[in-house]
Amino acid sequence: MTTAAEAGAPWLVVGLGNPGPEYAGNRHNVGFMVADLLAERIGGRFKRAGKAQAQVVEGRIGPPGPASRRVVLAKPMSYMNLSGGPVTALRDFYKVPTAHVVAVHDELDIDYGVLRLKLGGGDNGHNGLKSMTKAMGAEYHRVRFGIGRPPGRMQVADFVLKDFGSAERKELAYFVDRAADAVECLVTEGLERAQSAYNT
């Protein structure tokens, strides 16, 4: 049951990734890519968030009027496996209920470009989710962006820290755009509506 206070509370949308230009095109950084596109859509630029080890953009998502939602877009600058600290600091600073936190992240067990949205659950070995769950519990939303499994005997760590391949890059902009649409739908229309529209 959502309380009136929760209904009017802002949303915190966290793109997970690693800071620095050497990681920018990595599969592990697709959360940053989605956050960057959402920031572009609301006409904002990321800036350092006070004492929190993160960059943020504040704005509104959705159509003008009562249907729009206050949102804080965030990119932790702490490296993936330490994401929980900055995210929890931002959640507390902006007074965001944990159920209004959305993590956008890469997902190995889903085919490339496929999306799955859910609330709560395990971390499936994802270090960013592991850190967030340890810091604030598991009851936050996830927008899982499929990157598929590594080919042959390539190690998972090597795979996620490599850039998308040339064939993947041809469709990457489309898939990132669709993931940003899914985040907007989740925030403005709720999880069930977003799942029925985007869980392919």
Side-chain angles (χ1 to χ4, degrees), residues 3-15:
T3 66
E6 280 187 337
W11 285 75
L12 174 61
V13 176
V14 182

Side-chain angles (χ1 to χ4, degrees), residues 24-136:
N26 289 181
R27 293 181 178 91
H28 223 19
N29 269 45
V30 74
F32 274 20
M33 297 174 197
V34 175
D36 285 337
L37 179 57
L38 286 165
E40 195 179 303
R41 288 183 179 184
I42 66 175
R45 291 173 67 94
F46 278 100
K47 61 180 189 299
R48 200 76 182 188
K51 293 178 181 176
Q53 208 175 353
Q55 292 183 351
V56 299
V57 174
E58 297 177 53
R60 299 191 81 87
I61 280 179
S68 75
R69 298 286 179 266
R70 285 173 58 212
V71 68
V72 180
L73 306 174
K75 296 192 294 186
M77 294 285 116
S78 57
Y79 291 102
M80 182 70 85
N81 61 344
L82 299 172
S83 300
V87 174
T88 305
L90 292 172
R91 180 200 64 173
D92 294 347
F93 179 78
Y94 287 103
K95 299 179 172 55
V96 176
T98 300
H100 277 206
V101 176
V102 182
V104 185
H105 64 92
D106 57 305
E107 179 61 64
L108 286 159
D109 285 339
I110 304 175
D111 289 341
Y112 174 58
V114 173
L115 297 176
R116 291 279 189 278
L117 286 76
K118 68 174 188 173
L119 173 64
D123 57 57
N124 205 21
H126 192 287
N127 288 331
L129 298 182
K130 199 175 290 184
S131 179
M132 284 180 60
T133 298
K134 186 177 178 184
M136 62 183 193

